[in-house]
Amino acid sequence: MSPNAESTAFRSALEVVRAVEPRVADAIGAELADQRESLKLIASENYASPATLLAMGNWFSDKYAEGTVGRRFYAGCQNVDTVEALAAEHARELFGAAHAYVQPHSGIDANLVAFWAILADRVESPALKKAQVRQVNDLTEADWFALRRELGDQRMLGMSLDAGGHLTHGFRPNISGKMFDQRSYGTDPVTGLVDYDAVAEAAREFRPLILVAGYSAYPRKVNFRIMREIADSVGATFMVDMAHFAGLVAGKVFTGDFDPVPHAHIVTTTTHKSLRGPRGGMVLCGPELADQVDRGCPMVLGGPLPHVMAAKAVALAEARRPDFADYASRIVANAQALADGLLRRGAKLVTGGTDNHLVLIDVSGYGLTGRQAEQALLDSGIVTNRNAVPQDPNGAWYTSGVRVGTPALTTRGLGTAEMDATAELIHTVLSQTTPGANADGTPSKAKYVLDPALADKVSRQAGELLAGFPLYPAVDLG
Ligand code: DSN
């Protein structure tokens, strides 16, 4: 590759866009500038490689390709077949999975595909069987009524939202909470860790069809071998949503009992978090569920995004390289250094630390709500997101926590020394912020007081910290 290839590619692309709608070209350039300047600690974000980004901007975007490789509802899909098959092959090899379905557009889509596959596989319903073998026209009104009732009665057990579970694991505001009769398991009130005996007891009492493991704000490993045993003991299908930690599985940081792929019946993920690919989703499973999973489009999904599948193939190929394992282990070393730095300065952390890519700060220790802390940090050039903590008294909107994660800064090259410096910046801001009041003098959960001079100083320090680790160093937009 020529030394200026990346700059030339992005510059030329922007020139072409600018000729039509300059404000879009400007916004794209501004986004790069903003990302270069901010200390990005959002645990679910990353920086995809130039090759991954460039694989998305092309003619594949124009192609319809409903169906699966070699069996499409549209003609002329031979090139889409090539990239979809490549992405699936890389995914199977990377994760050691028998089957990979790379069409989901997002994590929620991947979960919906998995839910449908499990329902179709497990629910004993003559009407569903007819629907599955494409005898839909033979279904009577009574069949449809029975089908809806039978599907509606199914049960799911997942991790509670405030313990770190995800919205799509059966929670009311999400379709999964409306599709399933749902219960959740929490974490131990003292240690903050998953209590496997409590999960087993909940499973025995509730007898779910699906036991879900996986999280978006739990800072520890989960033992998937034990979870599978629990699922087996009640005849549940064991599903793992590894969206957050897929990069740690790919990089062989989570192995043995902590690698979900050998233990789960079905695994879903996003491709853009710690895995560092394009925005999208994916499903991995064994041969038993493969046919049902492959019905994802058009059963649950709109037409596949072939340009994104092309980018998935590129990113998964990158994740199979030896340097990805090094990246994955640095993510965890950085998260642990960040946690240690915060603890040493007196911060309160859920579970007292981390063994994955994220740290959950209980900001009630600073007398703040999550919303106040998140905004004060943002004023100071530090991008995080507020998050509920277990049994959060402030609910899911204001919250009592701030979630920070290291996949993005690790991609940028920051190491453990910079994580300690980051801990110092976070602690400085949070310890100098105080809760604000409403106009009538009552305490506010959103307003806060932070000296703007201090916020400016921390922003400058964050900028100095990042200056040594340029983002996309080979890309100069001029
Ligand atoms: N929005 C993702 C996250 O931030 O964890 C999960 O969907």
Side-chain angles (χ1 to χ4, degrees):
M1 186 164 72
S2 71
N4 297 325
E6 290 173 5
S7 283
T8 308
F10 285 104
R11 274 193 198 199
S12 303
L14 286 187
E15 198 180 317
V16 174
V17 173
R18 179 164 287 108
V20 180
E21 175 46 289
R23 289 169 295 184
V24 170
D26 289 346
I28 294 171
E31 182 60 27
L32 176 60
D34 287 354
Q35 295 211 14
R36 279 179 164 157
E37 280 164 22
S38 60
L39 199 62
K40 177 149 100 169
L41 284 162
I42 294 186
S44 49
E45 292 188 6
N46 212 326
Y47 304 108
S49 72
T52 298
L53 296 177
L54 289 167
M56 278 185 278
N58 56 64
W59 307 269
F60 272 135
S61 171
D62 298 330
K63 193 75 195 92
Y64 253 120
E66 292 181 8
T68 47
V69 174
R71 193 175 176 282
R72 305 284 183 184
F73 290 87
Y74 292 82
C77 293
Q78 59 280 6
N79 301 310
V80 178
D81 281 357
T82 301
V83 293
E84 179 168 353
L86 269 173
E89 181 189 325
H90 283 310
R92 287 193 306 271
E93 292 294 324
L94 179 63
F95 292 107
H99 186 69
Y101 182 66
V102 297
Q103 291 190 17
H105 309 162
S106 68
I108 176 171
D109 286 3
N111 285 349
L112 284 173
V113 170
F115 296 153
W116 177 256
I118 296 167
L119 287 172
D121 183 58
R122 296 283 315 277
V123 176
E124 287 301 327
S125 158
L128 181 60
K129 288 273 173 313
K130 275 194 210 170
Q132 285 300 105
V133 294
R134 299 186 182 82
Q135 294 168 340
V136 178
N137 293 340
D138 297 347
L139 260 66
T140 62
E141 278 301 308
D143 282 336
W144 283 114
F145 184 74
L147 177 57
R148 289 196 193 99
R149 200 192 53 237
E150 285 153 5
L151 293 180
D153 279 348
Q154 301 307 319
R155 295 177 173 182
M156 173 192 288
L157 178 63
M159 191 180 211
S160 72
L161 209 52
D162 69 350
H166 192 253
L167 206 60
T168 57
H169 300 174
F171 295 95
R172 292 286 180 264
N174 181 261
I175 182 77
S176 58
K178 297 170 172 67
M179 282 170 72
F180 290 96
D181 178 6
Q182 192 270 358
R183 295 269 172 84
S184 44
Y185 56 88
T187 45
D188 181 276
V190 177
T191 62
L193 302 174
V194 172
D195 175 347
Y196 297 100
D197 291 338
V199 178
E201 194 181 325
R204 267 196 307 277
E205 274 173 17
F206 188 53
R207 308 208 70 88
L209 177 81
I210 309 178
L211 175 64
V212 185
Y215 49 79
S216 57
Y218 178 68
R220 296 291 177 177
K221 292 182 188 173
V222 171
N223 188 314
F224 299 116
R225 179 186 53 77
I226 297 178
M227 293 296 281
R228 171 63 185 260
E229 284 167 11
I230 295 170
D232 285 348
S233 73
V234 296
T237 296
F238 181 38
M239 168 174 160
V240 176
D241 177 347
M242 66 169 182
H244 260 262
F245 52 91
L248 305 184
V249 179
K252 312 293 179 240
V253 175
F254 284 3
T255 56
D257 292 354
F258 306 104
D259 174 354
V261 180
H263 301 292
H265 294 100
I266 190 161
V267 176
T268 60
T269 186
T270 54
T271 45
H272 51 274
K273 297 187 174 90
S274 54
L275 194 52
R276 207 165 57 180
R279 302 198 74 77
M282 197 160 71
V283 181
L284 307 172
C285 63
E288 324 72 46
L289 286 172
D291 283 351
Q292 299 296 355
V293 164
D294 281 351
R295 290 170 199 246
C297 169
M299 181 65 80
V300 173
L301 303 173
L305 308 175
H307 55 307
V308 181
M309 293 196 289
K312 285 174 182 169
V314 171
L316 289 163
E318 289 172 343
R320 291 183 67 192
R321 293 179 178 166
D323 60 352
F324 194 87
D326 173 55
Y327 165 63
S329 55
R330 284 188 291 112
I331 290 176
V332 178
N334 277 346
Q336 288 174 338
L338 186 58
D340 289 349
L342 287 163
L343 286 171
R344 265 204 322 280
R345 290 168 176 88
K348 193 169 147 193
L349 305 183
V350 172
T351 79
T354 180
D355 39 38
N356 58 24
H357 62 298
L358 70 88
V359 177
L360 189 55
I361 310 171
D362 182 343
V363 294
S364 67
Y366 291 102
L368 300 171
T369 65
R371 175 139 181 204
Q372 291 161 335
E374 174 196 77
Q375 288 301 311
L377 289 167
L378 188 62
D379 290 349
S380 313
I382 302 171
V383 189
T384 64
N385 67 280
R386 65 186 185 280
N387 208 104
V389 299
Q391 294 96 43
D392 200 315
N394 287 323
W397 179 250
Y398 292 107
T399 80
S400 303
V402 163
R403 185 185 70 165
V404 289
T406 54
L409 291 182
T410 306
T411 293
R412 228 174 139 144
L414 281 79
T416 51
E418 290 77 29
M419 290 303 117
D420 194 58
T422 300
E424 171 65 19
L425 297 182
I426 292 172
H427 174 74
T428 300
V429 174
L430 297 183
S431 58
Q432 301 293 317
T433 303
T434 51
N438 295 310
D440 63 2
T442 55
S444 167
K445 288 186 175 184
K447 295 191 173 134
Y448 58 97
V449 181
L450 171 65
D451 178 359
L454 179 79
D456 281 352
K457 183 174 163 206
V458 172
S459 278
R460 272 197 310 282
Q461 290 171 328
E464 284 159 17
L465 194 59
L466 291 171
F469 303 92
L471 180 63
Y472 300 113
V475 178
D476 175 7
L477 295 184

